[in-house]
Amino acid sequence: MLPTSSKIRSSSSSSTSRPNSKFPQYLRRIIKWQQMDIEYTFWQMLHLCTSPKVVYQHTKYHKQTKNQWARDDPAFIVICSLLLAVATLAYGAAYDHSTGHAVFVVISVLFSHFIVTGVVLATCCWFLTNTYLREEAPNSHVVEQRVEWLYAFDVHCNSFFPLFVMLYVVHYFMSPLLVAHGFIPILLSNLLFMVAASYYHYLNFLGYDVLPFLERTTFFLYPIGAVIVLSPILILSGFNPSRYFMNIYFSQRL
C-alpha cells in the first residue's frame, strides 16, 4: 500500500524538526572540549583557504553518515571565536591606549562581527533558500527536504574563516602600510577587502550549491559583481577601509 499524504507530511515534519531537537545538545557540547574533534576542525580551516570544494565533499559524507547536513560538533565555532579574540587583542595591543577599551572591542567584535552578524545572515539565507530556491518535488510521495538553520550558520562560519585570515591576520601584519596616507595604501586596502568579500560570497555559494534539492544557487554569486564594481569607485574616491575601521574601533587616531 502506498503511504498516505498525511504520513508523508508527518515524515517531512519530523525530518525538518530534527535539527531543532538537536540544537540544545549542540549548545551543551560547546563547553565540553574533550568531545570536540579539534584536528578535523583545523583540517577544515586549512582546506577552506586552499581547497574549499574538498570540505563540502566531506559535508556530503557527513549527510550520509549522520543524516543531517549541519555539523554536530561545535568545535569550529569555538576555535574560530578564540582565534578572533586573539587577533582582536593583538590589534588592541598595537592600536589602543586603554586595556579596558581593548577588552570591550574584543567582546564587541566577537559578538557583532561573528555571532550576531552570522545569526542574521544565516537566518536570511535559510529563509531565502527554503522559500525561493528549493526544487519542486516531482510527486507527492517524495519527502520534502529543507535547509537546516544550523547548516546555514555552518556555511556562514565556513565563509567567515578565510575572510578572518585576510582581514584580521594578513591585514594586521600589513596594517602599518595599509593605514598610511597615499594612493598605494588605498589601492592595497581596497583590493584586500574586495578579495576577502568576494571569497566569502564564493564560499557561501559552494555551501548551498552542494545541496541537491536547491536550484538557482548562482544567486549567491551576485554580490561578487557588486563588490567588483564598487571597489574601483572607492579607490578613485580616496576611501581607505583600513583607516576607516581602525579609527572606529581603536583609540589611536590614524
Side-chain angles (χ1 to χ4, degrees), residues 182-204:
F183 178 74
I184 297 300
I186 293 173
L187 175 65
L188 294 178
S189 180
N190 278 281
L191 287 178
L192 183 60
F193 274 77
M194 180 189 72
V195 172
S198 298
Y199 198 67
Y200 174 90
H201 290 293
Y202 172 66
L203 290 189
N204 222 31

Side-chain angles (χ1 to χ4, degrees), residues 42-210:
F42 280 117
W43 178 89
Q44 285 184 311
M45 289 178 167
L46 173 63
H47 282 79
L48 284 169
C49 297
T50 57
S51 307
K53 290 183 179 180
V54 174
V55 176
Y56 284 111
Q57 187 63 43
H58 278 254
T59 300
K60 292 182 180 180
Y61 302 150
H62 180 79
K63 169 62 176 176
Q64 295 169 2
T65 57
K66 301 285 188 177
N67 196 30
Q68 69 177 58
W69 291 98
R71 296 187 186 98
D72 55 358
D73 184 356
F76 195 99
I77 296 175
V78 173
I79 293 175
C80 198
S81 298
L82 291 175
L83 292 175
L84 183 59
V86 170
T88 310
L89 278 174
Y91 274 99
Y95 294 100
D96 219 323
H97 299 303
S98 168
T99 303
H101 185 263
V103 172
F104 170 78
V105 171
V106 171
I107 297 173
S108 175
V109 167
L110 183 60
F111 280 92
S112 64
H113 285 201
F114 184 46
I115 298 177
V116 175
T117 302
V119 168
V120 172
L121 291 176
T123 302
C124 290
C125 291
W126 169 79
F127 175 80
L128 175 67
T129 51
N130 284 322
T131 305
Y132 300 106
L133 302 184
R134 281 189 303 133
E135 291 181 345
E136 293 293 334
N139 57 69
S140 59
H141 304 300
V142 176
V143 175
E144 184 183 45
Q145 298 188 76
R146 299 179 65 84
V147 178
E148 306 155 9
W149 186 89
L150 268 178
Y151 179 75
F153 190 72
D154 282 347
V155 171
H156 163 74
C157 293
N158 291 344
S159 305
F160 178 85
F161 182 74
L163 182 144
F164 159 77
V165 172
M166 284 184 271
L167 296 188
Y168 288 83
V169 181
V170 174
H171 185 278
Y172 175 79
F173 291 105
M174 293 182 62
S175 59
L177 171 62
L178 297 177
V179 300
H181 293 277
F183 178 74
I184 297 300
I186 293 173
L187 175 65
L188 294 178
S189 180
N190 278 281
L191 287 178
L192 183 60
F193 274 77
M194 180 189 72
V195 172
S198 298
Y199 198 67
Y200 174 90
H201 290 293
Y202 172 66
L203 290 189
N204 222 31
F205 158 74
L206 290 182
Y208 294 104
D209 190 57
V210 77

Side-chain angles (χ1 to χ4, degrees), residues 184-253:
I184 297 300
I186 293 173
L187 175 65
L188 294 178
S189 180
N190 278 281
L191 287 178
L192 183 60
F193 274 77
M194 180 189 72
V195 172
S198 298
Y199 198 67
Y200 174 90
H201 290 293
Y202 172 66
L203 290 189
N204 222 31
F205 158 74
L206 290 182
Y208 294 104
D209 190 57
V210 77
L211 301 181
F213 54 90
L214 294 184
E215 57 184 6
R216 303 186 303 276
T217 53
T218 51
F219 170 84
F220 292 102
L221 293 175
Y222 294 166
I224 297 178
V227 170
I228 293 174
V229 170
L230 183 61
S231 293
I233 298 175
L234 295 177
I235 292 171
L236 294 175
S237 67
F239 177 74
N240 187 325
S242 297
R243 293 177 60 86
Y244 176 77
F245 287 109
M246 299 280 276
N247 282 328
I248 287 179
Y249 284 101
F250 303 105
S251 58
Q252 181 176 328
R253 298 293 94 183

